[in-house]
Every structure is written in C-alpha cells, then in structure tokens.
Amino acid sequence: MKLNKYGNSILLHDSMKIVFIDINDILFLEKLGNDTYIHTADKTVKASVSLKNIHTLLSPDFVRSHRSFIINKRRIVEIQFMNASCCEVLFGEQKKALIKKEKVNEIIT
C-alpha cells in the first residue's frame, strides 16, 4: 500500500483502489498488529502502513499519545483517567483511544 498527501487529504492506494481521507476528519490512528486503522467519525479505514509514516503527513494537531495511537487533539471530547499511567480519550460514543498520563499536559496546552 502506498501513502501520499494530496492537498488536505491522505491518499491510500494499492492495485485495486485509492482512498481519500480528509485530514480534518481524522479522530485518531490505531496500530493493531501489522495494520494501522484510521478512524473518522463515519468510518474506519485499514491501511498497511506504519504510524510513523502517516504521522509525517499530519499537522502538529496530531500527537503520538501512546505507542499504538496518534490522536487529533482538536477532536477530543473527553479524557478519562483509568489508572496511574493511562487515560482513555473519547471522541464520541463509540470512538476511544489511549493516552499515557504524562502526555495529557501536551494535549491540553
């Protein structure tokens, strides 16, 4: 899978299709196994690219909150403290990501 930036969108393309994702629509990115899932309010897109590669195409509003997550700090609805080291970031009713507790100040400042 190839990854490019086109205007304010990320393009994910392979031999079968090209998917355009508006960067402003991205809530967070999640790494599961060898795949990265790009979550928006409406959909989740599976991509075979690394979080590091996608992060280079995003604005400073996107923060690496956890080894498996990059979050869009402009789209956060709520942060809930789970334990001494981890918090849960809510983007809506069904959309949740993790953040290390020490990263919370980076998000809210």
Side-chain angles (χ1 to χ4, degrees):
M1 180 164 280
K2 293 183 182 179
L3 173 72
N4 294 68
K5 187 170 180 182
Y6 180 77
N8 202 40
S9 294
I10 289 176
L11 273 65
L12 299 164
H13 49 97
D14 59 22
S15 61
M16 301 300 289
K17 65 182 174 183
I18 299 173
V19 178
F20 291 75
I21 303 169
D22 189 315
I23 292 171
N24 295 322
D25 292 341
I26 297 172
L27 303 174
F28 65 96
L29 299 99
E30 177 180 19
K31 186 72 171 172
L32 288 171
N34 292 327
D35 296 312
T36 297
Y37 292 85
I38 303 168
H39 296 271
T40 69
D42 301 333
K43 63 185 174 183
T44 299
V45 177
K46 179 180 170 183
S48 297
V49 295
S50 71
L51 281 178
K52 184 178 179 180
N53 286 346
I54 294 177
H55 202 189
T56 62
L57 301 178
L58 301 173
S59 73
D61 291 333
F62 289 84
V63 176
R64 186 78 179 249
S65 63
H66 186 274
R67 67 181 171 88
S68 300
F69 291 93
I70 295 172
I71 61 173
N72 183 347
K73 65 183 186 179
R74 300 241 181 250
R75 302 293 303 267
I76 295 171
V77 173
E78 187 176 325
I79 298 174
Q80 295 179 353
F81 296 93
M82 296 171 57
N83 56 43
S85 64
C86 198
C87 302
E88 193 170 59
V89 180
L90 306 176
F91 296 93
E93 288 185 29
Q94 301 294 322
K95 302 288 185 166
K96 299 176 183 179
L98 295 178
I99 183 171
K100 290 182 178 181
K101 201 167 188 178
E102 67 262 16
K103 291 278 194 172
V104 172
N105 282 340
E106 184 179 338
I107 299 298
I108 61 174
T109 57

